[in-house]
Amino acid sequence: MSADEHRLAVAVVGGLHADARHAAVEEILRTVPGSVALHHDLSAATDRAVRRTVRDASGPLGGGEAPLVNDCACCALREDLVPELLRLATGGGHRLAVVELWDSVEPQAMAAVIAAEGAPLELTGVATAVDPALIVPYLANGDDLAEAGLAAAPADQRTIADTFARQLEYPTLIAVAEDGMSGEPADCGDHALLTQLTPGAGKLWLGEGALGPALLEGFDIEAAAARQHPACALLPQEGDDHGVATLVWRRGRPFHPGRLYAALEDLTCAAARSRGRFWLADRGDTLLSWDAAGGALCVESAGPWLAALPDAAWEMVPPERRVAAALDWHPGHGDRCQHLTFTSPGLDRDGLLALLDSCLLTDAEYAAGPDAWRRLPHAFDELLDPVF
């Protein structure tokens, strides 16, 4: 039998809101004939194995265990996922395999594993299931996953807030649970926050039966990765609805490293979620990423700005990044820029604007030029160049 005859559509459904996720998967099994769900329970990893279950709309079809790999439950999931999907594909009789991720597993990583395998597996959709009443408390929760019993590996240092934020921002579909699932109804502000944080995702209400068919429509793994890359990320747009606002801050001169560093705590706590890319005067060739949620901030190097690369290297850059750079291009400093977004209920837009602008180089500092900028105090060395 040919690979085409064995083709198996695969969809990923994730999310820290377990009740919403379970409801989404059960709806898919009920509404898509020939669908089957595969789930790896990482909570049993303390028993030296990850438990696997396979079920369809009628109930369990089988199960088993995957041994830990280097004491890592997430590594065991990675090792076991594709062989199980291939077994389902070659067994025939299934139209769609739904990979129901465990709570803290992020969809981007597992989508990449499935897409890399290729035929007979075809990744056709990625969704995160959300209880809108829980969005604010989860984005505000700075607890480590390990403290909550949700770590996926021994070295997992993620927090509930940053994990939840990435689960929201990667997929092209958000499965929205019915109000009251968590015991508290969502209000208009909760839905406004969800809309502003996920500009590139379609919202589908559970109970309407639309999620399963939507997950069969196809998924572009390269475009999804580009939407997450700091250089060309699909960031929230300006918004103000039901007390929830998004500020998009774009400027064409660099930050003073010392003044920005002194303002980090206030900037990090100014919004439920902030993201983007920024330019430090003393690191003029380095594109830096900004990622904050739950009162914690991660700043990292995302490689060079395009303006810092030789022309020949541009051919190796994804087209999405070249387009994003062209939109910000300046005749003097190329694509170097500030592009940060802040989204939150009760956002103090005026105060935030004033604080951000105060961290930029002054007119006199800017006029001194790049050679002088490089001699400014290197306040971010500890964050960007840690010594272990």
Side-chain angles (χ1 to χ4, degrees), residues 19-319:
D19 289 344
R21 191 183 70 239
H22 295 329
V25 174
E26 292 305 318
E27 177 176 306
I28 297 165
L29 295 179
R30 290 194 309 270
T31 57
V32 179
S35 59
V36 62
L38 172 63
H39 177 61
H40 289 80
D41 184 354
L42 274 60
S43 66
T46 53
D47 298 328
R48 312 297 301 169
V50 170
R51 294 184 185 139
R52 176 202 325 116
T53 56
V54 181
R55 69 187 191 279
D56 64 10
S58 65
L61 297 177
E65 293 187 343
L68 296 191
V69 177
N70 299 323
D71 290 328
C72 173
C74 195
C75 301
L77 165 59
R78 288 172 180 268
E79 292 286 330
D80 195 64
L81 178 61
V82 167
E84 279 301 304
L85 289 173
L86 291 173
R87 183 183 65 79
L88 291 171
T90 56
H94 302 301
R95 179 186 180 193
L96 171 68
V98 183
V99 177
E100 181 188 351
L101 299 179
W102 189 66
D103 301 45
S104 68
V105 178
E106 296 182 23
Q108 182 169 7
M110 293 305 110
V113 169
I114 296 164
E117 179 64 23
L121 307 181
E122 181 181 353
L123 181 66
T124 59
V126 178
T128 290
V130 173
D131 182 335
L134 298 178
I135 294 174
V136 172
Y138 272 62
L139 281 177
N141 193 334
D143 290 347
D144 292 339
L145 291 175
E147 295 174 1
L150 296 173
D156 195 341
Q157 296 182 339
R158 295 173 298 156
T159 68
I160 290 175
D162 64 40
T163 301
F164 179 60
R166 285 189 293 272
Q167 289 178 340
L168 278 180
E169 292 156 359
Y170 178 74
T172 53
L173 293 171
I174 301 294
V176 184
E178 297 177 8
D179 282 349
M181 175 171 282
S182 61
E184 294 291 334
D187 60 25
C188 293
D190 295 321
H191 289 284
L193 180 59
L194 178 61
T195 297
Q196 291 180 37
L197 287 174
T198 57
K203 315 299 188 298
L204 297 174
W205 283 93
L206 294 181
E208 296 183 351
L211 179 61
L215 285 169
L216 287 165
E217 292 180 358
F219 186 79
D220 188 330
I221 192 79
E222 293 182 357
R227 289 194 301 271
Q228 296 302 107
H229 193 284
C232 49
L234 180 61
L235 298 174
Q237 303 299 305
E238 284 277 348
D240 193 347
D241 186 25
H242 290 96
V244 177
T246 293
L247 169 67
V248 178
W249 185 75
R250 303 176 74 115
R251 297 291 187 268
R253 67 170 61 183
F255 277 124
H256 185 286
R259 288 198 293 274
L260 177 62
Y261 188 85
L264 285 183
E265 183 174 355
D266 289 339
L267 291 171
T268 299
C269 297
R273 178 66 168 145
S274 54
R275 300 171 60 199
R277 56 186 179 270
F278 67 103
W279 173 23
L280 278 180
D282 63 322
R283 293 172 179 258
D285 289 341
T286 305
L287 188 158
L288 297 166
S289 69
W290 177 288
D291 192 297
L297 170 67
C298 177
V299 296
E300 293 181 322
S301 168
W305 296 99
L306 285 192
L309 292 174
D311 292 346
W314 281 48
E315 294 301 319
M316 297 181 287
V317 174

